[in-house]
Amino acid sequence: MPTMTAAQQRAQAKADYDAFLAQCPSRQLLDRISDKWVTLILAALGSDGPRPGAGCEGGPRSMRYSELSRRLAGVSQKMLTQTLRSLERDGLLTRTVTPTVPVTVSYQLTGLGLSLQHLMSSIKEWAEANMDEVLANRESYDAPGG
Amino acid sequence: MPTMTAAQQRAQAKADYDAFLAQCPSRQLLDRISDKWVTLILAALGSDGPRPGAGCEGGPRSMRYSELSRRLAGVSQKMLTQTLRSLERDGLLTRTVTPTVPVTVSYQLTGLGLSLQHLMSSIKEWAEANMDEVLANRESYDAPGG
DNA sequence: CAGGATCCCGCTAGATACTG
DNA sequence: CAGTATCTAGCGGGATCCTG
């Protein structure tokens, strides 16, 4: 049993990576997760969803490919598949294939993905909450008088 | 004096925007701020700097163009200028020109920018803290056996 | 249903050169 | 110092067709 808590271990690991450095792997990771579709996929899978009695088991919600496709309005098949693969590879979500006819595929956040989802949802909510102020700022910036 | 708190007003505004919708302005805003350079610029301007016991003056730190350029290793002049302009337009930071010779320009977060910076820094720290786990996940994903 | 494969366009990031 | 201007290669990303 380790003497460090998980939070302490993360703080330890943090010291070894610095996203300000171009060569650091965390810079690439930051670039990967700094993505519109990543944010929305995580937000979709992290939400409790509209189904009332389905999420009693405590784990994060699972969604099918077509569900995600509908939820993320305007996403192309290519970007959805590509982003899901990338997130699966990084261990942020799991992809489960059920051999029905036709085949059923569902996606679900891992613990790691869930931890990021909490942060990403804050960003999404910030964007939604501060939209008015940003729009006002743009107007005054673009105004002739400055 | 309003009867709603700032938090309540944000919750109210949030109901009017939905980043899941393609046409919603908040979708574009989410796309803008979901950017590597945005994250790093906010993190740089939001940090208290190298001074150990500092931060007594309360306001966020201001940095000059060349300081930012050095801090964000690998950023091109174009991207730095472009991203700074975008953030200034959205009211996330201020740009101050001091007419010295040569000219001095400094950037500083606004209150709005500071509120986002707190969230963005969490993302950056998450990337740094979970880099090892992500790298391990990638290895096992790329491994021949699955 | 859940993609894989392919084509191709547009934007964008990066490099370079120049300037107030 | 803090940019602007210009050019270009590269790839992000959409459209389309096809498949198990």
Side-chain angles (χ1 to χ4, degrees), chain B residues 6-29:
Chain B
Q8 284 172 328
Q9 285 182 19
R10 278 194 298 273
Q12 185 78 13
K14 185 198 162 190
D16 303 332
Y17 294 107
D18 182 2
F20 280 119
L21 306 176
Q23 320 86 330
C24 186
S26 67
R27 167 75 73 92
Q28 270 100 51
L29 180 57

Side-chain angles (χ1 to χ4, degrees), chain A residues 17 27-28 31 53 104:
Chain A
Y17 294 107
R27 166 74 75 92
Q28 271 99 50
D31 202 16
T104 304

Side-chain angles (χ1 to χ4, degrees), chain A residues 10 13-14 17-22 25-27 29-37 39-40 43-44 71-74 85 88-92 112 115-116 119-120 122-135 137-138 141-142, chain B residues 10 13-14 17-22 25-27 29-37 39-40 43-44 71-74 85 88-92 112 115-116 119-120 122-135 137-138 141-142:
Chain A
R10 278 195 297 274
K14 185 198 162 188
Y17 294 107
D18 182 2
F20 280 118
L21 306 175
S26 66
R27 166 74 75 92
L29 180 58
L30 183 63
D31 202 16
R32 278 273 174 87
I33 64 181
S34 294
D35 179 73
K36 179 179 46 176
W37 301 126
T39 306
L40 292 176
R71 187 83 177 98
L72 277 63
R85 284 287 185 281
E88 184 195 3
R89 189 169 99 103
D90 289 352
L92 299 185
L112 187 62
S115 70
L116 180 58
L119 306 178
M120 299 295 267
S122 304
I123 303 286
K124 171 176 167 293
E125 285 161 21
W126 184 95
E128 290 167 350
N130 295 281
M131 194 65 243
D132 282 325
E133 190 169 347
V134 167
L135 287 177
N137 288 332
R138 286 183 189 171
Y141 186 90
D142 295 340
Chain B
R10 278 194 298 273
K14 185 198 162 190
Y17 294 107
D18 182 2
F20 280 119
L21 306 176
S26 67
R27 167 75 73 92
L29 180 57
L30 183 63
D31 202 17
R32 279 272 174 85
I33 63 181
S34 294
D35 179 74
K36 180 180 45 177
W37 301 126
T39 306
L40 292 176
R71 187 83 178 98
L72 276 64
R85 284 287 185 281
E88 183 196 4
R89 188 170 101 103
D90 288 353
L92 298 184
L112 188 62
S115 71
L116 180 58
L119 306 177
M120 299 295 269
S122 304
I123 304 286
K124 171 176 168 293
E125 284 162 20
W126 184 94
E128 291 166 351
N130 295 282
M131 193 66 241
D132 283 326
E133 191 168 346
V134 168
L135 286 177
N137 288 332
R138 286 184 188 170
Y141 186 91
D142 295 339

Side-chain angles (χ1 to χ4, degrees), chain B residues 1 5 9 11-12 14 30 43 53 61-62 66 72 139-140 144:
Chain B
M1 178 180 179
T5 66
Q9 285 182 19
Q12 185 78 13
K14 185 198 162 190
L30 183 63
R61 165 189 220 194
S62 83
S66 52
L72 276 64
E139 267 193 67
S140 73

